[in-house]
Amino acid sequence: LQISSVQREINGSTGSGYYPLNLGGLLTSSLFGIWIHDVSNIVLDGMGNTLQYSGLANTSSRGVLINGLTSDIQIKNLTLLGWDTGIWIQDSNNVYVTDNTTVIGNIGSGGDSGSGIVVGNSNNIFISSSPSEKPVTSSYNGENGIAFWNVTVGLINNTYVMNNRNSGINLT
């Protein structure tokens, strides 16, 4: 499945609720796979699917972008592959990256600039899995596995971070 625009935009117009990605093998050349902004109370369930970037190497591509006046967001059961940044969270509150979420092989334009999960200027960020679920995994990314900058209250728990080019976890 080739998609040339934003795969899915979730905002105040689309409303709160449960958003399942029930299409297998999502492949997109869009710079943003899923853009969540200006909305609260969202559950993004990848349902075990992979969202993969297929466009030209670009230092701005994001698998999932969460920003704006956004709060109470959960991402689960999703694999993000080949983006510059798998998950980018900025200016948001109460975001949960949970069970069976994997960010892998996000390498950016130079092959060494991509990160798995980047969080900036945000509050209450939780990257954690239930002990009975498959853990969050961030591996083989071109830069950091997980990077927090200017985050107030954060938790990284029951998470595998390995084989990233720079830091596994970078807290600034």
Side-chain angles (χ1 to χ4, degrees):
L1 177 62
Q2 183 71 25
I3 301 164
S4 60
S5 62
V6 173
Q7 165 59 27
R8 177 168 278 180
E9 181 176 354
I10 302 169
N11 59 38
S13 298
T14 57
S16 300
Y18 176 75
Y19 286 84
L21 296 178
N22 51 8
L23 299 173
L26 299 173
L27 187 64
T28 182
S29 59
S30 169
L31 290 181
F32 305 109
I34 300 168
W35 181 23
I36 302 171
H37 63 96
D38 304 307
V39 67
S40 295
N41 301 315
I42 298 294
V43 175
L44 177 64
D45 187 347
M47 299 182 70
N49 292 305
T50 297
L51 179 58
Q52 181 175 356
Y53 181 66
S54 65
L56 298 173
N58 187 301
T59 59
S60 300
S61 66
R62 313 279 190 251
V64 175
L65 171 63
I66 300 171
N67 67 356
L69 302 172
T70 303
S71 65
D72 301 309
I73 308 298
Q74 180 185 14
I75 300 168
K76 66 181 183 175
N77 301 318
L78 179 62
T79 297
L80 296 147
L81 172 64
W83 301 87
D84 177 59
T85 301
I87 299 172
W88 182 283
I89 302 165
Q90 187 168 352
D91 302 321
S92 299
N93 299 304
N94 305 323
V95 178
Y96 303 83
V97 179
T98 66
D99 310 329
N100 194 30
T101 298
T102 301
V103 287
I104 185 170
N106 298 290
I107 57 172
S109 63
D112 62 358
S113 63
S115 290
I117 301 171
V118 175
V119 183
N121 296 325
S122 296
N123 301 306
N124 301 323
I125 305 300
F126 303 95
I127 300 173
S128 181
S129 296
S130 303
S132 62
E133 297 290 335
K134 184 177 174 188
V136 174
T137 302
S138 182
S139 60
Y140 298 99
N141 297 295
E143 194 167 332
N144 301 305
I146 299 172
F148 278 16
W149 50 273
N150 200 24
V151 172
T152 304
V153 183
L155 173 71
I156 300 170
N157 186 44
N158 196 27
T159 298
Y160 291 137
V161 182
M162 61 199 148
N163 299 315
N164 296 287
R165 184 170 183 264
N166 286 346
S167 300
I169 299 173
N170 183 339
L171 306 175
T172 305

